[in-house]
Amino acid sequence: ELSDAEAELADARQTLQDARKTIDELESPDIFALTRNTNLGYVVFESDSDIVAGVAKIFPVFFLAVAALVCITTMARMIDEERTQIGILKALGYSGGSIMGKYLGYSGTASLLGCVLGLMLGCFVFPAIIWYAYCIMYNFSPQLTLSYDLPTFAFIFISYVGLTLLVTWYCCRR
């Protein structure tokens, strides 16, 4: 058994010596140190984020313009179709302000509801959907922390409702 163990030991020493010789013959590897600006995944993510940020700047303006066009078309058509009813109300003694208040109330309620729903969708639903898509593409954590800019919300809310009421007032005056 001793001779078998010595032969096995000699074979193991020969294998170890061959392995050391192979390691000594290896060339030094090329090492690349990538920073955030040179890592392809990070650069692609940053580019995608810039695209989303650009779209986020254009969407509110686009929707505000569409809302104004829809409002002016709807209110102008509604007021034109109800001219007879407006005349009857005037003959019954209703003032122009109270008649206009009806239309301002209608458009104001619709714009308030649309603004609240739009802010909820735009601040909770769309970011969650976009983040879920990024999680699939980039293997991110599914947890998302949102932050809000209340002065911007107030500006959007006031400008949207104000524009709708202004358009309605214009249609009534016309």
Side-chain angles (χ1 to χ4, degrees), residues 134-146:
Y134 276 132
C135 288
I136 291 171
M137 292 177 3
Y138 295 106
N139 196 21
F140 287 155
S141 168
Q143 184 178 2
L144 176 64
T145 304
L146 299 173

Side-chain angles (χ1 to χ4, degrees), residues 2 15-17 26 37 41 44 47-48 57 72 79 96 105 108 116 118 123 137 164-165 167 174:
L2 182 61
T15 304
L16 182 61
Q17 199 173 26
L26 288 176
N37 296 330
V44 169
S47 173
D48 290 346
K57 288 179 184 176
I72 198 166
I79 291 168
V116 168
C123 294
M137 292 177 3
T164 304
L165 292 174
V167 166
R174 189 176 53 92

